[in-house]
Amino acid sequence: MLLRVLSLATSCQPRYRASELKHGRVAMLASVGIAYTASGGPLFAGPVALDGTTFASLGSDPWTAFAALPYQGKLQMLIVIGLLEFHSEIPSGGQKHYLNGGTPGKIMVGGFPLFDPIGFMGSMSQEKKDEKLVSEIKNGRLAMIGVASFFAAHWSPIAVPLLVGKMSMGDPANMLVGLV
């Protein structure tokens, strides 16, 4: 029985690796977005919606800003995420799916890799690419912990002592505000 479980775990390894890369990349983007928005740094100058709502008018609290974002903006984000997910599962440009020997995390859009469109990794040795991949996975893991910490700090004043007073507090009675 143990051998069968170990065999299953080995056969699922490419799926786990691709999932870890994907979620790590999303977490890295989310942690930078939450931290930057909460820092009060300058935001995009233009409108975020056709009704004239600007990025700056949404404020520097990431959760309030997301709640104030028009429904069409949230729908746009969902569509972009769905397209990225679709492209990650459908091999293009002659590449194989990651479960059939392809490269986990390699998403091709228009014949160019989404995460290396300029080709920085093209001249690197395979050993260096593997080293960079391990680094990306480690950074992604840390970013996942960071995003979880931001959410914990938002809902509990004692969860992350270093973020007390730096992150806005949410209302536990109204946890889904802004999501719908």
Side-chain angles (χ1 to χ4, degrees):
M1 181 67 179
L2 180 62
L3 224 47
R4 186 173 178 201
V5 170
L6 290 175
S7 171
L8 181 63
T10 304
S11 67
C12 292
Q13 191 70 27
R15 182 177 301 275
Y16 294 150
R17 179 54 50 99
S19 179
E20 188 174 25
L21 274 170
K22 191 182 306 179
H23 290 96
R25 287 171 177 170
V26 169
M28 285 187 273
L29 289 170
S31 62
V32 168
I34 291 170
Y36 184 78
T37 304
S39 76
L43 302 172
F44 293 116
V48 70
L50 296 176
D51 65 0
T53 305
T54 63
F55 285 100
S57 71
L58 296 177
S60 64
D61 174 25
W63 287 270
T64 306
F66 187 77
L69 193 65
Y71 174 76
Q72 291 83 0
K74 294 174 187 173
L75 184 63
Q76 230 176 8
M77 284 189 247
L78 186 64
I79 289 169
V80 168
I81 291 167
L83 286 171
L84 286 172
E85 180 69 22
F86 177 78
H87 275 289
S88 73
E89 293 297 325
I90 305 299
S92 63
Q95 71 175 8
K96 295 179 183 177
H97 191 270
Y98 59 84
L99 292 179
N100 295 326
T103 307
K106 186 171 185 180
I107 303 172
M108 301 294 284
V109 177
F112 296 101
L114 181 64
F115 291 99
D116 189 23
I118 300 174
F120 287 120
M121 304 261 308
S123 61
M124 286 186 193
S125 67
Q126 189 58 42
E127 182 179 289
K128 190 73 171 169
K129 286 180 185 180
D130 292 342
E131 182 182 316
K132 295 277 185 191
L133 180 64
V134 169
S135 177
E136 182 180 12
I137 289 170
K138 288 179 180 179
N139 288 332
R141 289 173 183 164
L142 187 60
M144 287 185 249
I145 293 169
V147 169
S149 297
F150 286 138
F151 275 89
H154 179 66
W155 293 112
S156 170
I158 60 171
V160 186
L162 290 174
L163 292 178
V164 172
K166 293 175 180 60
M167 301 294 292
S168 67
M169 288 300 301
D171 179 12
N174 246 341
M175 292 182 79
L176 297 179
V177 169
L179 292 178
V180 290

